[in-house]
Amino acid sequence: MSDSEDDTPDKQLKIIIMGDGASGKTSIATRYSQEQFGKQYKQTLGLDFFLKRIVLPGNINVALQVWDIGGQTLGGAMLDKYIYGANGILLVYDITNYSSFENLDDWITQVKSVCKSEEKPPHMALVGNKVDLEHMRTVKMDKHQKFAQEHNMSSHFVSAKTGDSVSLCFQKVAAEILGIKLTRPELEQHQRVVKAEIVQYNQSDVPPKQPVTNQTKKSAMCSLQ
Ligand SMILES: Nc1nc2c(ncn2[C@@H]2O[C@H](COP(=O)(O)OP(=O)(O)OP(=O)(O)O)[C@@H](O)[C@H]2O)c(=O)[nH]1
């Protein structure tokens, strides 16, 4: 039998999503696996689990084994077992809830205690969720960046509600773990674009600062990234 692409075994990565209760871990997982979002909060007891196949540049097939771990597991013996063998850890907090950010120290402590003897410690990603609620942000950007730097983590902002950057976050983490560089089109493809209408002012109210060209006439829509 000849070698074909189908014969190539997938690379398997174990990715753990952890962080305080109600920070949005299940919502991120549901958005990523099913393109859905639910407003209702239902606490995760123990853990949920799903598998997602992705393709990275170079036609590298990757099977992501994603573990969504309930916020209540912090400090429990089971958490050590969940963390063991993880290739990547998404540490999620809610940008509108300062204590969910402060408590990341406790999550990191537990991760470090499990992974201290591992030859290749997991890639750590800091994920600020609920960016659709930017107006309610209580965790300043520079705090986030400083924390990520101090703990050698990659930095991400997502919204499980709108889907903003959720897929991009997983793609980046998988690529980082496997040492693959994502191309610009790859990055753009996974970044959800939010389209916003530009308010059309009445031309007589606002005198044009420059002559109206074909190009300026066309821009009735903009993309926020
Ligand atoms: N506005 C907004 N709400 C969100 C977002 N993500 C999650 N939520 C809401 O936050 C609440 C908690 O979300 P969950 O995904 O259940 O939180 P969790 O971290 O899995 O919680 P545990 O299971 O207790 O660990 C729910 O009411 C969600 O609808 C988001 O990006 N934006």
Side-chain angles (χ1 to χ4, degrees), residues 17-25 27-28 37 41 90-104 107 126-141 143-144 156-161:
I17 314 179
M18 57 168 69
D20 268 14
S23 56
K25 300 175 297 296
S27 303
I28 290 173
F37 175 77
Y41 172 43
L90 268 54
L91 222 52
V92 178
Y93 73 94
D94 170 355
I95 65 157
T96 71
N97 177 345
Y98 197 78
S99 69
S100 72
F101 178 71
E102 280 184 316
N103 292 339
L104 292 182
W107 288 96
L126 178 62
V127 183
N129 184 36
K130 309 196 186 180
V131 293
D132 56 288
L133 301 177
E134 186 60 45
H135 56 290
M136 290 164 67
R137 175 190 280 275
T138 53
V139 182
K140 291 206 175 118
M141 285 283 211
K143 287 241 176 206
H144 169 110
H156 311 262
F157 287 104
V158 304
S159 166
K161 185 174 181 181

Side-chain angles (χ1 to χ4, degrees), residues 7-18:
D7 296 327
T8 314
D10 280 340
K11 288 184 187 297
Q12 289 249 5
L13 295 180
K14 175 178 172 181
I15 308 285
I16 306 266
I17 314 179
M18 57 168 69

Side-chain angles (χ1 to χ4, degrees), residues 158-210:
V158 304
S159 166
K161 185 174 181 181
T162 63
D164 186 5
S165 298
V166 171
S167 161
L168 181 67
C169 172
F170 283 93
Q171 200 79 3
K172 277 181 166 176
V173 168
E176 184 87 25
I177 294 167
L178 296 170
I180 294 168
K181 200 168 163 23
L182 292 178
T183 58
R184 201 184 159 83
E186 267 273 327
L187 293 169
E188 281 166 3
Q189 186 197 332
H190 288 276
Q191 188 160 30
R192 180 174 291 244
V193 175
V194 181
K195 290 207 166 138
E197 297 270 349
I198 291 178
V199 177
Q200 293 283 308
Y201 286 102
N202 190 334
Q203 295 286 332
S204 57
D205 294 343
V206 186
K209 287 195 180 121
Q210 59 184 58

Side-chain angles (χ1 to χ4, degrees), residues 51 59 90 105 151-152 157 178:
L51 198 73
N59 251 338
L90 268 54
D105 278 329
H151 295 279
N152 201 18
F157 287 104
L178 296 170

